[in-house]
Structures are given as C-alpha cells and as structure tokens.
Amino acid sequence: MLQMEIFAIDSQKLTNKEEIHHIVIPKIENPIENNNVTNIEISEEKYTINGIWTNDGNQLNNSNIFEKGKDYNLEFTISVNDGFKFSEDLEIIVGEKTIRRDDIDFSKEKIIFSYTYTVKPVVEIIENNSRDILVGSDEKFTDIQSAINYIYAQENKENWTITVKTGDYNRFTVLSGLNGLTVKSDYGAIVNIGVINGSVSPVEISAGYPDTDGVSVREANNVTFQGITFNMGSNKTAWHSSALSTHTESGKKSDILNIKDCTFNGQGTGYGVLLSSYITQFNVQNCVFNNVLEAIEIMCDNSALQGAEIKENIFNNCSFAIHGYFGGLQDNVGTLNITSNKISGNESIYSKIVVMDQLNKGSLKVNIAENNIENAVIGVVNLRENGETNDVLTQNSFGKNSFFVEAIEPGNIEFYSTYKAPNDSYGHWELRNKDGLENIDVIENVIKKANEEQSRTLSITGIPDGELIKTFTWFKDAIYWVTEKKPEPPIEPLPPTEQEWQKSKSKVAENLDENFISEITLSLPSAEKNLATDVVFVFDESSCFMEVREKVNNMLTQLYEKAKKTNATIKVGAVKFRGAVSEFALEELNETTKTKFIEFMENYISTSATNMSMGLLSGEKMLDDDTTVDNSRKYLILVSDGISYVWDNETTEEKENFGVNFSNADRPDIPILASPDGWDVKYGNKYVPENWIEHFKQVGKRITNTINEKSSIYERQIDISRNPFVMPNEQYRYVSTVDISLFKSNQIYQKIASKYKTYAVTAGNEEEMETYPYGPSFMEYLANGRQVSFDEIVKDIVYLVDKGSKIEDYIGYVADDYDFDFVNDENKISISIGDKIYKAEKIAKNKYGFKKNDKGYAYILSYFSGTFKEDEYFVWEINEPITNFNPVQLKYCVKLKNPKTQAGEYGQYDKDGSKKTTGLYTNNYAVLIPVDSNGVVGEKQFFDKPTVSYIVKESKPIDPEKPIPPVEPEPVKPNVTSPLTGDNTPIGKYVILMVSATIAIVIKLKNRKNNK
C-alpha cells in the first residue's frame, strides 16, 4: 500500500466549520509519458471527493507530460464539513483491489484512483461542501444578498453556508425556504452590516413582510448568523425597526434562530434582535449589544416556548437587555435559559431583563442564573402560579443599583408586585421619571415606609385589580434601588495566623524538687529562639524613587542603631522586579551594607513589564534559604504601586513573563500586547473591586482556561499576530492579564504571610496610580486595609511589646486532684534583662517592683491569693518597651501543696508545654495582653502550659506539709538507762524528735478537719 501523509494548509486560518487538507503520495515511480490529467473519483458511498493531478502545486493540463526518472506528487484539495476528521491510514483502491506500488499499471491511457478513508463524525454530517459560497470584493459574489438570491434560484435551497470576507456590506433579507442557512464571517474577518440607516430594502417588501430597516428573516427555519457586526443608525421607520428580525405580518413565520458571536452597535434607538410570533426556539450566545434601546425583544402572541438560550452575552447601556413575552398554550412548555450574561446600565436609566407569561397560563418556564448585573433590574411577570422560575435573587450576582421584581395579576399568591434588593445591598428606594404615571401617591407612600424601615423590599398591593401588571410596566423606569456605600466600621486587624501574629514568648518550668517546688521562667521574647533577624525588601522598580530610598535608608539606620545597643544580628536583603529580577543577597546590617543597599535600589532593570509574582517568589526563596533564623523573626516588605500585569510560572526555576494579549472593540482583530490596559478593556480603568476576595473568587473560576487557551510568553517588539489573544466578544469567557498577575501575586503573598511577617507598602507614581486605581487598592487589600509606613515597620521589627502590656498567670489547680501555690517571697522572684538581674522590691503587700526609675518601676508584679484555688493568680505589668533583641525574663516559684502519699508516679514532665501533655499543670493558664508601639491593644495570646511530675516511694511516708529528710542515728552507748524528759543522749533526742513529728501530724490533721 502506498504510504500517505495528511497535513493542514495554513492551519491558522482554519475554522471549525471547514478544514482544508492535502493528501500527498510522496513518490510515484516510472509514470508513462504523455499521461493526460484525469479526475480522481470516489463512489458516493465513500463520500465523493474530486481532485486533480498537480505538479509543484500547479494544475496540469493536457499539454503537460510526466517524464521518466522524475518524482511526482499526487495532490488534491479537500473541503470537509463540520465534524469530519481524517484517520491517518488511507488506501488507494482500483475497483475491488487495493493498489500497491508494484501493482500499478502505467500502460493505460487514464488511471482512475478510488480512495477509501475513515470518517469520524463529531457532529451530525450535514452535506458536502458544494453548498458553500464565499462573499467578498474579490469573489464571484460581492454582496450577501446576491449570494442569497443565487441560493434561492437553486432547486435545493437548504443547508447552505455563506462565508463573508472582511468588508462593509448592505443589509439583506433571508428569503423563504432557505432552511438551515448560515451567514458567517470568515476566520478573523471583520464584517460590518449597515442597518436602520435609511438604506433601500434589498428585496421587494409587502404588507406580509414589512421593512424592518435591517436584516430580515422570512419563512426560513434554523437560520444562523455568526461573527457579524450590525452597525445601527438612528433612523427609525416604525415601531418594529430592528437590526435583525423575524417579524412578519403574514401567517407564514420562521422558527429556530441562532445568533452567535455577533455585535450590535446602536445609537439608543430600535431593537437589536426582534423575535416575532411563532418563534418557539432560539439561541443568542456570546454576542455584544452596545447602546441599543431594546437589545433582544420577544413578541410571541399565541406562541408557547419549546426551548431557548440567551447566554454569555454582554449588554452595555441598553434600556432593555431582554424584554418580551410568550402567550400561547402548550403542554410541557420549554425553558428560557438566561444565563452567564453581563448586563450593565447607567445610573440614569437602568438596564432591564423583563420576561412575561402574557396570559398567566404557563407559556414558558424561565431560568435566570449566574448573570452579573449592575445598574440593572430583573423582572418576571406571571411566572409563579402556572409558569415556573428559579430563585433569581440568590442565583445571580447583583451589583450596585440592581434589584429583582416579581409581578402577578391578583391570584392565589400573597404578592402583586414585589421589588427586592439583594440581602447584602445597602441603599434606599427612589421614585424617578414620574411624568405621565398614575397611582403615584400610593407608590410614594410605599417607598417612604420602606426607606423609614430600611427595608430592601417593596410590596405594592394597593393598586386596583387588573392594573398590577400595568403598575410594573409603568414604573419599571421609575422605581429604582439606589446603592449606597455602607458606613465603614473602624478598621480592626484581621485574625492573625499563629505563625504570623503570635508574639515570641515562652514559659518553662523546672521539674519538682524534693520540696515539691518548681521554678518558672516567663520569657519575652522566647528564650529558646535565636534572636537573629532577617528583613527582605521586594521592590517594584517604579517605586524606588528618591523619597522611598530616603525612607528605606532611615529605616536601616534605625535598625542598625537598635542592633548595636543589644549586640543583636540583623540581616537585610532585597529583590527588585520589573520584567526581570535583581537581588541583593542577605547580608548583616552595618554602615557598609546600608550604602551598598541604597546603591542597589538605584540600579535599573532593562527588561520591560511588571511582574510582581516573580519578585515575591524571589523574596520568599531568600528567606526560605536562611535556615539559621527562626521563621518568627523573618520579615518581608513589599513596596509597589500594585500595577502588575504579567506573571511568573512558579512551578519552574526559570524566571519567565507570561501575559494575556487582547484587542479592543475598534480593532478587534488586532492583538495588543499584555499591559495594564487589559484591565481597561475588561472593566474600565477606573474600576476597583469592592471586595478583592470575591473578585479573586470570580477570577479563580476562569483563570485555568484563560492561561491554557490565551496566555503566551510576554515579548516586546515581535510579531504577536499569531499568538492567542482575547477579542471583545469573548471577554466573558476569560479574565484579563492584570487579573491573573494580581491573582498569582496574592497567592504567593498569602503563602509567604503564612510563614513570615509581611508588610505591603504602597508607593509609586501618583499619576499612574490615579490612572490605574486598582493597583493602590490591591496593595491596601494586601495590607488588610492599613496604610503602612516604614517607621511603623521599624517599631514592629524592634519592639515585641510596648508599655501597657501585661501578663496574667493563674496558678495550677484541679479540684480533688492537685493544688499549686505561688511562693509569695520576694527572695524567690526576679526579673532579668539580657545579662542583668533585678531583684524584687516589696512596694506593698503582695506587690513587687523591678528596675526602679524616675517614674516608678519598669516592671511590677501584683499577687492575688483569692481562695488559693482556681482564682489564685498574679499580674505582671510592663511599663517600658521590650525589644525583640534583648529578652526579658520573670522567674518565680510554685509549690505543690497536696502531693499524693500513695506510692506511684504522678504527672508527666513537659518543660515548655510543647509536648501538650496533660495533668500537673503548674498554671491553669498564662496570657499575654500585648500593646503595640502605637498604643493599640492586641488580641490575647496564651502561653503553652508546662507540666511537672514526681514519684512517691512506698517505704518513705511523707508529711503532707513538710517532707522530713531521713536522720542517720549515731551509734548507741552500752548500759544506757531509759531516757527521761530533757535527756540529752542521742537516743533521747531521737525519741523526742519522733514524738514531735507525731504531734505535728496530729495537729495538722485536726486543722484540716476544722477547715472543712
């Protein structure tokens, strides 16, 4: 069998409706001379295709010959309908016989080859490509109407495709009988159709087919329009003036209309798409409607719905995005799915979706879900009793000035017209545009009451029966919900993570000695941690201007001065990012380091772009790699304007810039390199998310598809026309390059924040930040709403807690088990600062001072005995700042009051509480109440709880109050008489000691009994 190869021609220009292939036989040896050209034929059962002999891509005619000893290719072009895929294996067959190279008989005057190949249908096979027509200035048909007229003249008028090349065209009319017609733009083509501009009707009109001043579909079913732009003028011939319409006045109607990837540009007049009676099925998907009076209008008297989709469209400043009704009767009606659309009105006229069951007898079902609306209204009418609808208010995203309305003629439900703002919305109701309206007094009173009660719901039931529907119709441009900004509560710090926000501290207990006493040490910061500190800056190059350099220099100076006084070690490092990163490796802070550091900030990175995620990844790695410093003493400071638009693939070591290119509406086929303008094209420059967490949730839904389908390496000054990019009419499917850059940066920043202390400082060019306000807003989000200064960061790094902080320590006690007492003895209490020890000075009963100064004492301990049970505790007051570089330790003792007497081992020793053992806790709990250098009281922070243990040996009974060490008796002298009272002999002394011990036990037992 001859081996063949299949490959695509210019695959960049292929569409999913048509594929062009070459099938090549690489070599045919020894062809006969003077062999004429002949068609290649395949039987109809095998999907007939035709081809020709060619030589080097040029068609051969009868004058051409094949010469001996030369190689030739058998080559022909195949056009394949949507859904065909070729298998790799093809055979050449003559009659019933498979041809092998050695079997070819070249002696015949003509050779007829029959090719058999496998077809894998993805969708239903439509017809062969003989029904394709190409329209363009350089084609046989230069306008769309002439192509339609040609099809209309054919015997078989169905299932034709008209592909239109780039150009401006007049409106046209789809004539009756052209079922299955598709009119679409060529791949990458910009096809503009002028409509509602007063142009002459392309075909004869009549009373049955009135001129709608646009593209009209007569009695033709299953017609599709794809990739076309309708430019609507301001001319308006009649109420039915529309860009694309199925409206007729005749009894013959069309059904099943499909509109995909189209754009309707209006001037505030007319309909975009007008669907008239007897339409039971339609699909409007991935279209854009700009400034159209009524984008999609449905007028289906006497019709019931079988099923329809309006999804993934964008409606900008349309008075009605979707407006219409069905009014027929039918069992098992279908659903109108209005899903995943973006609807945006303006503050003077809200955009509206209004869907109605005209007769309130079940003409349709409605599913309105996953739409994003702003300055807009969703209204459903008569869709509760006999029709069905979903929970619209909770299943759509209502932005500012948006609300939901249900209206119904009086019936068996509780409401007539009910207006509802979203539960999370804050605002008030207004009555606008009152001219010509009735029942205004009733409406104004309802609105006044709702606003007084701060209610998000208006229930209008005081209108006469039969006028409820009219009420909603009359007031749909009058009753508005106006969103207000919620009063902002005082900014409070977010709940800290344990690693990020817990102050460094520790509590250790020595195990019980022979007197059942344990010495406790409270340390601020923790005594076990290395006091070295790492500080890494991540600079956006655009933020490294003079003012920032001066502030950083001042910050380093302050840190260095604090470190010198305490012999602490502070290391500083930095990463600077633009389209690449440069690094200043961690180095111990001194005068030389400071100078080198500021010089590093002045260095210029030549690689264009802004990649914050790349800088953060480098900063994280710098901190990760220093394993000599505890995580709690590592700091990362991000300094940026937040205007980032490319990102790094964090899964590889290589630093790369990825971005998403885009185009804008005026030149949709020309890609623009990824930039901050990607945000402008998607949202508008001035747009700032009200809630970044919710914004990132939405980005997260589409980020994978966007990266997989639309991202590319960011490179300047190259041809990007063949790179993927996002066109305006597909924006709803993808997120912008800025979205991904900030999403990735946020992920990395939060990961770093889970390990180390992080700060986000906003700094940059004021003009740029005003142009792109999303950047500073993003930085404020990273900073948890705080405006962070370098001076504050210095204080946070240097000071662990400030004056006003205190520790409360409750002594260990468990009823009927064990009881510790605080040893209230100034000789047993001390505070050390670094190497210096301060003994307690008694300043009042149960109150001790340490480190006396002009204002009193730097530290005070107050003891509260309570009932010597769970309410026994002390308070350690801190009256001067404690730094991270010089530990302050409080030492005190507790004594086990009631050790067990029965032999055994009690408790488990856990010196610092890290093992989380239970039992014999030296304290019930100890808590730090920190105050920072700004005087702000922080969240309570609890110390770990050490535990102790002891062993009771069976042979040594122990006095519960005071254990008696064993006494070694001296040798006994011979001939000693019985001892008398006051006998000074060793035996006498021993007897007296034993008697005294017995009396002491008896007295103690009596006292315990009396105290019960």
Side-chain angles (χ1 to χ4, degrees):
M1 184 173 71
L2 294 177
Q3 297 298 313
M4 297 185 180
E5 174 187 1
I6 300 176
F7 61 94
I9 300 176
D10 199 1
S11 61
Q12 292 295 321
K13 296 183 179 179
L14 297 181
T15 70
N16 60 5
K17 281 285 188 181
E18 179 177 350
E19 293 183 354
I20 302 174
H21 291 270
H22 274 180
I23 299 180
V24 178
I25 302 175
K27 190 173 184 180
I28 300 178
E29 296 181 358
N30 302 319
I32 62 171
E33 294 181 0
N34 300 320
N35 185 22
N36 293 332
V37 176
T38 183
N39 284 344
I40 303 166
E41 299 177 353
I42 296 179
S43 64
E44 290 184 0
E45 293 78 21
K46 303 294 184 180
Y47 305 105
T48 299
I49 57 176
N50 294 317
I52 55 174
W53 290 96
T54 64
N55 180 18
D56 296 330
N58 298 314
Q59 179 172 327
L60 296 172
N61 54 40
N62 289 343
S63 64
N64 294 112
I65 61 173
F66 293 97
E67 297 178 5
K68 288 184 179 181
K70 290 189 176 181
D71 297 336
Y72 293 88
N73 287 338
L74 177 65
E75 180 175 334
F76 55 94
T77 300
I78 307 170
S79 297
V80 183
N81 285 328
D82 187 16
F84 281 71
K85 290 186 182 297
F86 287 102
S87 69
E88 293 291 341
D89 299 324
L90 303 177
E91 297 177 339
I92 303 178
I93 299 176
V94 177
E96 300 295 323
K97 181 179 179 182
T98 301
I99 294 181
R100 303 180 186 280
R101 180 158 51 184
D102 296 335
D103 295 335
I104 299 177
D105 182 0
F106 293 100
S107 64
K108 296 181 180 180
E109 292 183 0
K110 293 184 178 181
I111 303 174
I112 300 177
F113 292 98
S114 179
Y115 286 76
T116 301
Y117 57 89
T118 303
V119 175
K120 300 177 181 178
V122 178
V123 296
E124 181 181 358
I125 298 169
I126 302 171
E127 283 275 344
N128 64 43
N129 282 336
S130 61
R131 297 181 186 280
D132 285 352
I133 293 178
L134 198 60
V135 171
S137 59
D138 55 348
E139 299 295 331
K140 176 181 178 182
F141 298 101
T142 58
D143 65 277
I144 300 170
Q145 191 64 56
S146 61
I148 289 175
N149 294 343
Y150 171 81
I151 297 170
Y152 187 72
Q154 305 305 307
E155 182 177 350
N156 189 341
K157 301 176 177 62
E158 298 189 347
N159 300 324
W160 288 72
T161 297
I162 298 174
T163 302
V164 187
K165 290 186 174 182
T166 294
D168 295 331
Y169 297 87
N170 295 326
R171 61 192 178 105
F172 55 91
T173 300
V174 177
L175 300 172
S176 299
L178 272 62
N179 299 327
L181 174 68
T182 295
V183 181
K184 66 174 186 176
S185 63
D186 197 5
Y187 179 84
I190 301 175
V191 177
N192 293 304
I193 309 293
V195 292
I196 315 184
N197 54 12
S199 58
V200 177
S201 176
V203 297
E204 184 179 352
I205 59 175
S206 66
Y209 296 103
D211 186 7
T212 61
D213 209 13
V215 173
S216 179
V217 180
R218 294 192 173 179
E219 189 188 348
N221 296 329
N222 198 22
V223 175
T224 298
F225 300 89
Q226 184 171 4
I228 294 174
T229 296
F230 296 87
N231 292 316
M232 302 167 59
S234 58
N235 184 67
K236 190 173 182 182
T237 57
W239 64 267
H240 51 246
S241 186
S242 52
L244 177 58
S245 171
T246 66
H247 174 67
T248 75
E249 297 292 340
S250 71
K252 296 180 179 180
K253 315 286 184 178
S254 62
D255 197 6
I256 313 176
L257 185 67
N258 305 297
I259 307 169
K260 302 177 182 177
D261 308 322
C262 293
T263 298
F264 296 79
N265 294 321
Q267 298 184 36
T269 58
Y271 304 125
V273 177
L274 173 59
L275 303 172
S276 192
S277 294
Y278 298 106
I279 278 277
T280 66
Q281 299 177 62
F282 60 89
N283 176 18
V284 183
Q285 182 174 357
N286 193 24
C287 295
V288 178
F289 296 85
N290 294 315
N291 198 32
V292 181
L293 181 65
E294 301 194 26
I296 300 175
E297 177 70 22
I298 306 164
M299 297 183 182
C300 288
D301 305 80
N302 307 314
S303 299
L305 182 69
Q306 291 185 15
E309 299 279 349
I310 301 176
K311 68 177 183 178
E312 299 174 343
N313 303 286
I314 298 174
F315 300 88
N316 293 318
N317 290 329
C318 299
S319 180
F320 281 91
I322 303 163
H323 187 205
Y325 57 85
F326 280 82
L329 300 178
Q330 173 185 308
D331 294 334
N332 300 319
V333 296
T335 300
L336 171 57
N337 289 298
I338 302 174
T339 57
S340 301
N341 301 284
K342 182 178 180 182
I343 301 100
S344 301
N346 57 64
E347 294 189 1
S348 60
I349 295 294
Y350 290 5
S351 187
K352 294 166 286 294
I353 295 176
V354 180
V355 183
M356 177 178 176
D357 178 353
Q358 187 181 27
L359 302 178
N360 197 14
K361 294 184 178 179
S363 296
L364 76 161
K365 300 175 183 178
V366 176
N367 173 46
I368 305 176
E370 298 183 8
N371 299 285
N372 286 281
I373 74 171
E374 186 171 287
N375 294 321
V377 184
I378 298 178
V380 294
V381 181
N382 286 342
L383 287 169
R384 269 296 182 94
E385 285 196 310
N386 296 299
E388 293 181 10
T389 187
N390 59 311
D391 188 351
V392 176
L393 196 61
T394 62
Q395 294 180 17
N396 295 273
S397 177
F398 286 80
K400 70 176 183 179
N401 302 332
S402 297
F403 59 100
F404 172 55
V405 184
E406 290 181 289
I408 194 163
E409 293 180 291
N412 297 325
I413 67 172
E414 295 178 355
F415 63 85
Y416 295 159
S417 295
T418 303
Y419 296 67
K420 297 179 180 179
N423 291 333
D424 59 352
S425 183
Y426 183 86
H428 65 277
W429 299 99
E430 284 187 8
L431 183 62
R432 303 178 181 175
N433 309 316
K434 296 185 275 188
D435 293 345
L437 299 179
E438 300 179 11
N439 299 310
I440 289 180
D441 291 344
V442 175
I443 303 300
E444 285 182 333
N445 288 333
V446 172
I447 289 177
K448 180 180 179 182
K449 182 180 178 184
N451 288 336
E452 288 174 351
E453 297 174 352
Q454 295 186 336
S455 174
R456 298 181 182 89
T457 301
L458 289 179
S459 292
I460 302 173
T461 58
I463 307 299
D465 291 356
E467 294 187 11
L468 266 298
I469 300 298
K470 291 182 181 179
T471 301
F472 175 50
T473 302
W474 289 338
F475 284 86
K476 61 183 176 290
D477 275 330
I479 297 177
Y480 279 24
W481 172 257
V482 181
T483 302
E484 299 172 1
K485 190 174 182 181
K486 253 185 181 177
E488 294 186 5
I491 296 175
E492 297 180 0
L494 296 176
T497 63
E498 182 178 353
Q499 288 176 309
E500 179 186 2
W501 296 105
Q502 286 289 314
K503 301 294 182 182
S504 178
K505 59 191 179 301
S506 64
K507 182 174 188 177
V508 297
E510 300 300 327
N511 208 6
L512 295 174
D513 63 13
E514 66 275 11
N515 295 314
F516 300 100
I517 292 175
S518 172
E519 184 181 63
I520 313 294
T521 303
L522 286 170
S523 297
L524 295 173
S526 172
E528 287 76 28
K529 299 292 176 66
N530 180 357
L531 296 183
T533 302
D534 283 348
V535 181
V536 170
F537 293 82
V538 177
F539 292 113
D540 187 337
E541 183 173 78
S542 62
S543 300
C544 288
F545 49 88
M546 179 62 72
E547 183 181 350
V548 172
R549 294 200 299 269
E550 290 175 354
K551 289 180 179 180
V552 171
N553 183 52
N554 182 54
M555 176 179 173
L556 297 180
T557 299
Q558 292 182 66
L559 289 176
Y560 181 47
E561 292 301 320
K562 295 293 182 183
K564 280 196 304 183
K565 291 179 181 179
T566 57
N567 295 319
T569 299
I570 301 177
K571 289 181 282 185
V572 294
V575 175
K576 195 174 181 183
F577 67 86
R578 194 177 177 218
V581 295
S582 62
E583 297 183 359
F584 182 92
L586 278 168
E587 191 171 323
E588 186 171 346
L589 181 59
N590 53 41
E591 292 292 347
T592 303
T593 309
K594 282 198 306 170
T595 302
K596 290 163 56 179
F597 194 96
I598 301 303
E599 289 174 353
F600 166 80
M601 290 183 66
E602 296 173 353
N603 292 338
Y604 179 73
I605 300 174
S606 60
T607 306
S608 300
T610 302
N611 189 335
M612 182 185 292
S613 66
M614 184 187 291
L616 287 169
L617 286 168
S618 297
E620 178 188 28
K621 187 175 187 303
M622 191 175 291
L623 289 173
D624 287 346
D625 288 348
D626 188 1
T627 58
T628 64
V629 175
D630 190 81
N631 283 359
S632 66
R633 303 189 64 81
K634 293 182 178 181
Y635 300 83
L636 182 138
I637 304 166
L638 172 64
V639 185
S640 174
D641 56 14
I643 305 171
S644 181
Y645 55 91
V646 293
W647 70 92
D648 182 69
N649 181 4
E650 64 271 21
T651 61
T652 65
E653 288 294 324
E654 186 178 357
K655 298 298 182 186
E656 300 172 285
N657 293 310
F658 289 87
V660 173
N661 304 332
F662 58 93
S663 65
N664 53 36
D666 54 349
R667 302 184 71 186
D669 60 329
I670 305 298
I672 302 171
L673 188 64
S675 75
D677 290 335
W679 183 272
D680 182 27
V681 170
K682 179 120 179 122
Y683 307 109
N685 269 349
K686 300 302 181 183
Y687 172 74
V688 173
E690 291 185 6
N691 185 315
W692 279 98
I693 294 175
E694 291 302 318
H695 180 79
F696 284 141
K697 284 181 181 178
Q698 297 305 316
V699 171
K701 293 178 181 179
R702 300 191 187 278
I703 190 170
T704 301
N705 285 343
T706 305
I707 291 174
N708 291 342
E709 298 174 16
K710 296 296 183 179
S711 68
S712 57
I713 295 291
Y714 177 93
E715 293 181 273
R716 290 194 173 211
Q717 298 177 340
I718 66 166
D719 180 11
I720 63 170
S721 61
R722 293 184 178 272
N723 288 357
F725 65 96
V726 178
M727 299 179 71
N729 63 356
E730 59 182 5
Q731 286 179 18
Y732 72 94
R733 299 181 190 172
Y734 306 107
V735 293
S736 76
T737 190
V738 174
D739 283 318
I740 301 176
S741 179
L742 299 186
F743 186 94
K744 293 279 189 181
S745 298
N746 179 57
Q747 279 188 322
I748 298 162
Y749 185 89
Q750 301 303 338
K751 179 186 172 188
I752 297 171
S754 70
K755 299 183 289 185
Y756 316 126
K757 190 70 177 290
T758 55
Y759 305 89
V761 180
T762 303
N765 182 284
E766 293 294 336
E767 185 176 343
E768 286 189 4
M769 291 193 291
E770 185 176 344
T771 302
Y772 303 107
Y774 71 80
S777 174
F778 174 68
M779 292 297 292
E780 185 179 356
Y781 158 73
L782 292 184
N784 290 330
R786 295 175 57 205
Q787 293 294 326
V788 183
S789 70
F790 290 106
D791 287 340
E792 287 179 282
I793 297 173
V794 169
K795 291 178 182 178
D796 210 1
I797 293 173
V798 171
Y799 298 114
L800 179 69
V801 293
D802 209 335
K803 60 183 179 180
S805 302
K806 63 181 178 179
I807 293 174
E808 296 177 358
D809 193 332
Y810 285 77
I811 309 305
Y813 171 86
V814 173
D816 301 323
D817 190 358
Y818 62 87
D819 182 8
F820 284 96
D821 276 352
F822 175 76
V823 178
N824 189 14
D825 181 351
E826 61 263 38
N827 296 315
K828 297 292 186 181
I829 310 170
S830 65
I831 283 180
S832 61
I833 303 174
D835 296 331
K836 191 166 184 178
I837 298 175
Y838 297 90
K839 293 183 178 181
E841 297 179 20
K842 193 169 185 177
I843 55 179
K845 183 179 181 181
N846 298 333
K847 192 169 187 177
Y848 307 96
F850 308 84
K851 192 183 176 184
K852 193 170 184 178
N853 55 40
D854 294 340
K855 296 181 180 180
Y857 291 90
Y859 305 96
I860 294 174
L861 186 146
S862 301
Y863 168 64
F864 302 90
S865 60
T867 59
F868 293 98
K869 296 182 179 179
E870 65 274 357
D871 55 355
E872 182 186 9
Y873 72 102
F874 67 80
V875 177
W876 176 18
E877 299 174 50
I878 298 167
N879 298 322
E880 70 175 9
I882 295 179
T883 75
N884 278 305
F885 309 141
N886 206 22
V888 177
Q889 296 182 326
L890 169 68
K891 292 183 181 292
Y892 67 96
C893 295
V894 294
K895 180 176 182 179
L896 181 62
K897 187 175 178 181
N898 57 341
K900 307 295 183 183
T901 56
Q902 186 175 353
E905 183 175 353
Y906 299 93
Q908 301 176 65
Y909 184 45
D910 180 5
K911 182 175 183 177
D912 57 6
S914 59
K915 298 177 183 177
K916 308 300 181 185
T917 56
T918 59
L920 287 181
Y921 290 116
T922 60
N923 65 314
N924 282 356
Y925 68 87
V927 60
L928 167 66
I929 303 171
V931 174
D932 66 18
S933 54
N934 296 311
V936 178
V937 180
E939 296 288 335
K940 292 182 177 181
Q941 299 190 14
F942 292 87
F943 288 79
D944 287 336
K945 296 164 61 174
T947 58
V948 293
S949 65
Y950 65 98
I951 298 173
V952 177
K953 294 182 179 179
E954 190 170 355
S955 60
K956 295 182 179 179
I958 303 173
D959 185 314
E961 179 65 23
K962 183 178 180 181
I964 301 173
V967 178
E968 293 293 333
E970 295 181 8
V972 180
K973 295 181 180 180
N975 300 322
V976 176
T977 59
S978 298
L980 300 175
T981 302
D983 191 347
N984 290 326
T985 63
I987 293 177
K989 290 180 180 179
Y990 185 76
V991 171
I992 292 170
L993 182 61
M994 290 298 293
V995 172
S996 299
T998 303
I999 292 171
I1001 291 172
V1002 172
I1003 292 172
K1004 181 64 177 177
L1005 290 175
K1006 285 183 178 180
N1007 287 337
R1008 285 205 166 192
K1009 185 174 181 180
N1010 291 334
N1011 289 332
K1012 287 187 178 180

